Amino acid sequence: MLLEVKDVYKSYLKIGKKDKQQVLKGISFEIKKGQCVGLIGESGSGKSTLSRLILGLEKLDSGKINIEGKPVKKWIKENKGKMSVVFQDYTSSANPNFTIKEVISEPLIALNQKKNIDEVVDNLLQKVGLSTELKDRYPHELSGGQMQRVCIARAISTNPKFIVLDEAISALDVSIQSQVLNLLKDLKKDLDMTYLFISHDLQAVANLCDQVLFIYKGSLVENIHSSQLAYAKSEYAKRLLDSVIPLKILDYGTQT
C-alpha cells in the first residue's frame, strides 16, 4: 500500500473564540501504487485540509497518515523529491522572475541533481507536450494551459512516487482542462504515476480516476470505483451525480 489514511481528525480554533471547529471527522482510505484516486467535495468540505495533512504541511489531531508504512513526515524526510504537488493557481506556483527552464529545474537544483539540466528540461517539456523552445521564456509569456503543463513537468522532474493534484485544472478553460486530463492519463500510464486528484469537478474525477472518494462536511460518505458510480449509495454522491451525469442513479441490485 502506498498511502494509508486511517481515522484522521483535524480541527481549527474558531476566530475570536476558544472552541474548535471540526474540519475532518474520522477520514480513512488507502491508495495503491499506480492508482489514481479522486477526492471530490464542495468548498469547505475539508479537501484542502486533507491535502495539506498528506503533504506533511500540517499536523493532524489524531489518527495516522502513512506512506509505504511510515509516518508521512518521516517518509518525506527519507524520500526527498518523491512526493510532488500541482496546485490550482499556476500564476503563484512559479516564480515570475524565473525562466521556464529555471521553474522546471528548481526541485532538481534543490536536490543537487544538476547533471545535464538542459537535456533533462528538454525531455520534461516534451513529456508534457510543450516545445523545448519555451524554456528560455518567462511565465507571463505562456498561456494558462502551457503554464499548468510546466507545473506538471516540474512535479514529475524528480520521478516522484506520489503526486497530489489540488484543483489542478479548475482555473483552466474547459478545452484546456480536457488536454491536461489527457496528459495526466498518459503520464500515469507511461511513468506509473500514483495520484490523489482533488477537485470539485465530478466529470473530471470520473474521467481520470480509478477510485472516487466523496467528502461531505468533513466526513467520507462514499468510496467507490469510478466504473460503479451509477450505484453510489450516499445521498450526497447521488445528488452530485444527478447534477452532471445524464443517467439515473441506481441502488445496488436494481436494473436499468
Side-chain angles (χ1 to χ4, degrees), residues 232-243:
K233 289 184 174 182
S234 78
E235 290 303 316
Y236 177 67
K238 288 180 180 181
R239 190 164 71 246
L240 286 183
L241 288 160
D242 276 336
S243 69

Side-chain angles (χ1 to χ4, degrees), residues 39-87:
L39 178 65
I40 188 160
E42 58 198 22
S43 179
S45 60
K47 303 189 305 296
S48 294
T49 296
L50 183 56
S51 73
R52 290 194 296 270
L53 293 173
I54 291 171
L55 290 165
L57 300 176
E58 293 193 24
K59 185 178 179 181
L60 47 79
D61 293 345
S62 62
K64 65 179 181 179
I65 299 177
N66 288 346
I67 301 180
E68 294 183 323
K70 295 182 178 180
V72 61
K73 287 194 174 182
K74 181 179 181 182
W75 184 90
I76 291 172
K77 187 175 181 180
E78 295 175 355
N79 295 271
K80 292 181 179 179
K82 294 306 176 183
M83 182 190 286
S84 293
V85 59
V86 180
F87 293 109

Side-chain angles (χ1 to χ4, degrees), residues 143-170:
S143 69
Q146 288 174 322
M147 269 312 300
Q148 198 62 306
R149 285 172 181 259
V150 167
C151 291
I152 292 169
R154 179 179 58 188
I156 66 173
S157 66
T158 58
N159 297 313
K161 293 184 178 181
F162 182 53
I163 298 181
V164 176
L165 299 147
D166 194 351
E167 297 283 6
I169 65 168
S170 62

Side-chain angles (χ1 to χ4, degrees), residues 5-51:
V5 177
K6 182 68 174 177
D7 203 26
V8 166
Y9 285 81
K10 177 65 179 178
S11 59
Y12 296 104
L13 279 172
K14 294 181 181 179
I15 297 175
K17 298 182 180 180
K18 294 182 179 181
D19 57 333
K20 291 185 176 182
Q21 178 182 356
Q22 198 74 50
V23 179
L24 296 176
K25 308 167 186 176
I27 300 290
S28 297
F29 64 92
E30 297 176 336
I31 299 180
K32 298 176 182 177
K33 185 179 182 297
Q35 190 178 28
C36 177
V37 171
L39 178 65
I40 188 160
E42 58 198 22
S43 179
S45 60
K47 303 189 305 296
S48 294
T49 296
L50 183 56
S51 73

